[in-house]
Amino acid sequence: MKKLKLILLFLTIAITITPIVIEVLLYRDNLLDLIIPPEIANIINNQSNNSNEKGINGNNLLNPEFELPKPVGDPQYNPETKTVSYTFNFTNPLQTPLEIDELQAGLVSHNDGFFLGNITINKPLKLDPGQTVDITALGILSDDAINYLKSQSATQNSINLDFVNLNVDLSGIQLQLDKQNIGNIPIPPQILT
Amino acid sequence: MKTKQINWFALIGGILILVLLPISIYFSWWQLTIGKNLLTINVSPVNTNITLFGTQFSAPLIWAMNLTGSLTFLASGIIMLIYALIPAKPYSIDLLSFAYRKPLYIVILYLAGLLVMTFAAQAFLGQGIPIAGSANLTLPSSMTMGANISILVASAFQWPFYLAIIAAGLSITARVYHTKLTKTLKQTSQEPTTLQTIPTAEKEIETPIPNQTQQN
């Protein structure tokens, strides 16, 4: 009976300790790898290597193929509905579906803060892994905004714009930005007519 | 083998522990979901994995701990079954003592691990992650470059966890029942001995009679 007790005690110790001891021995040269999954370690390494070079626009936090939405052509303007539309092309670089349930923002001139209108996406989007879609943002321009753009077009054919109060709901993550510059956007020629 | 000599609680408990092992590999005991499946953490004592943006991974130390969990379940289940079939042997109590505590220890350590994990997350993020339920987690602005980011976090215990609690409960019941069972078995084994003494006593009584007759 004492023998059995000893055998069972030995079994308990062996079961509890052996797997951990083997792993510690395997990772004895770098014990940090024992705790942090190699995939996470790679992400951290890539981030620290690239943080100075790439910044927010070149963010490759999780996938080197990640790219921000690219504009497709120039913004279009429909004078009848006073609606401006701008299409972006975006590829889901992840291995999980992405859902864009909400995207809305105010549009202001970067130089003088003139408010042009609000833009939004017309319907929620679902992107399967690797899928590329065109995301069209729509906005209705006020008469003041049209007149402002007309006055601007006298000296330039594009305008530097900011998103204000940007709200994005991306797969359950709600992002709110007070202000985000989106760069120079061509003024739709239809506005001038 | 007499059915009376089986510790049924240990038998069912042992089977449940052995069934729980493969179940826990494929179904987690607790799941944490961040966003709409952007980050999913599945935790069970035999299999823990993190799925971030569709990519699954696990830490080597956690893998080793899961292996320990698997072997513990396996040993506990097998030995519990062996004990259940021979509860009256002198060494059976040693088998039971080895087997019955382990599911309980695993459940307790598992819960303690979850609590430590959520406290660590609270210390890191400044906000608590619910052990069971959902909440909107707002990331500190120092982490988001000025943007306000709130994330839907949902967590829940899964049905294998409740199965593990039942297995642990059955194991404890098996230990309690063992005392009752051994008492009953002792009493049963003593009963035929009492019956056998009757003819012996009769013989002892009867024996002097012929002697007395002879003396007379």
Side-chain angles (χ1 to χ4, degrees):
Chain A
M1 280 204 329
K2 217 172 185 184
K3 220 177 198 179
L4 180 68
K5 248 185 185 175
L6 277 173
I7 290 168
L8 292 174
L9 180 68
F10 176 75
L11 186 64
T12 304
I13 294 167
I15 283 171
T16 312
I17 291 174
T18 311
I20 293 166
V21 167
I22 289 171
E23 284 292 315
V24 169
L25 288 174
L26 282 173
Y27 287 85
R28 65 184 178 278
D29 295 333
N30 191 357
L31 288 174
L32 202 64
D33 286 352
L34 192 65
I35 302 159
I36 300 171
E39 293 86 352
I40 294 284
N42 287 341
I43 289 167
I44 294 166
N45 288 338
N46 284 341
Q47 201 181 13
S48 62
N49 290 341
N50 298 324
S51 59
N52 295 332
E53 299 161 19
K54 296 205 167 186
I56 192 168
N57 291 329
N59 193 344
N60 64 350
L61 186 67
L62 296 161
N63 193 317
E65 292 167 10
F66 182 86
E67 286 178 9
L68 286 174
K70 282 180 184 169
V72 179
D74 290 339
Q76 300 297 311
Y77 177 70
N78 184 340
E80 287 174 10
T81 57
K82 293 181 180 176
T83 304
V84 67
S85 64
Y86 201 11
T87 303
F88 297 87
N89 189 271
F90 180 65
T91 301
N92 176 7
L94 308 175
Q95 291 173 359
T96 189
L98 272 181
E99 290 176 34
I100 305 170
D101 293 322
E102 185 192 4
L103 194 159
Q104 60 177 20
L107 214 52
V108 298
S109 165
H110 181 72
N111 297 330
D112 54 17
F114 187 89
F115 181 76
L116 295 168
N118 289 306
I119 61 144
T120 183
I121 52 169
N122 51 3
K123 58 177 182 182
L125 292 166
K126 187 175 180 181
L127 286 85
D128 289 326
Q131 189 185 357
T132 302
V133 291
D134 285 342
I135 304 168
T136 302
L138 299 167
I140 297 172
L141 298 179
S142 63
D143 290 337
D144 287 346
I146 292 164
N147 291 333
Y148 177 82
L149 288 173
K150 277 181 179 172
S151 67
Q152 292 292 312
S153 64
T155 53
Q156 57 201 31
N157 52 14
S158 67
I159 183 166
N160 193 356
L161 293 176
D162 287 337
F163 276 151
V164 289
N165 299 322
L166 172 68
N167 284 294
V168 183
D169 187 333
L170 182 71
S171 291
I173 296 179
Q174 290 187 322
L175 171 84
Q176 282 184 310
L177 264 175
D178 292 338
K179 201 173 186 181
Q180 175 67 42
N181 182 250
I182 55 169
N184 280 315
I185 305 293
I187 297 170
Q190 298 92 335
I191 285 180
L192 309 176
T193 55
Chain B
M1 186 180 296
K2 290 177 184 173
T3 51
K4 269 187 179 178
Q5 290 179 346
I6 292 175
N7 187 331
W8 291 102
F9 293 105
L11 187 72
I12 299 165
I15 291 168
L16 204 57
I17 291 164
L18 290 177
V19 167
L20 194 61
L21 177 58
I23 284 174
S24 303
I25 292 171
Y26 295 104
F27 301 97
S28 68
W29 289 18
W30 183 78
Q31 189 181 57
L32 175 80
T33 310
I34 292 180
K36 289 181 182 169
N37 293 325
L38 290 178
L39 173 67
T40 311
I41 301 173
N42 289 302
V43 187
S44 90
V46 301
N47 186 22
T48 300
N49 62 65
I50 301 166
T51 308
L52 180 62
F53 300 125
T55 308
Q56 199 178 77
F57 48 85
S58 180
L61 185 66
I62 290 173
W63 184 85
M65 288 161 82
N66 285 158
L67 185 62
T68 296
S70 304
L71 293 172
T72 307
F73 263 123
L74 190 69
S76 172
I78 290 171
I79 289 175
M80 183 77 92
L81 279 182
I82 295 170
Y83 156 78
L85 301 173
I86 47 165
K89 300 280 182 194
Y91 53 83
S92 296
I93 186 69
D94 292 331
L95 296 175
L96 181 62
S97 298
F98 171 86
Y100 93 93
R101 290 193 188 104
K102 292 196 167 32
L104 183 68
Y105 288 165
I106 286 176
V107 170
I108 291 169
L109 284 173
Y110 175 77
L111 282 173
L114 277 187
L115 283 173
V116 168
M117 200 177 83
T118 49
F119 283 136
Q122 188 168 5
F124 183 67
L125 299 169
Q127 284 174 72
I129 286 176
I131 282 250
S134 61
N136 258 321
L137 195 74
T138 307
L139 296 182
S141 56
S142 58
M143 287 173 70
T144 59
M145 293 181 291
N148 294 320
I149 297 178
S150 66
I151 304 169
L152 181 70
V153 180
S155 64
F157 286 103
Q158 309 292 311
W159 63 269
F161 173 70
Y162 300 108
L163 203 64
I165 290 175
I166 294 169
L170 278 170
S171 304
I172 294 163
T173 314
R175 176 64 188 91
V176 175
Y177 185 64
H178 174 80
T179 317
K180 196 184 166 188
L181 187 72
T182 44
K183 265 185 191 173
T184 316
L185 289 173
K186 266 182 190 173
Q187 279 174 2
T188 318
S189 62
Q190 279 168 4
E191 276 169 14
T193 322
T194 323
L195 286 169
Q196 278 170 0
T197 54
I198 298 163
T200 322
E202 278 172 358
K203 267 184 186 176
E204 282 170 358
I205 298 161
E206 281 170 3
T207 322
I209 300 165
N211 290 341
Q212 281 173 352
T213 325
Q214 277 171 6
Q215 280 172 0
N216 293 336

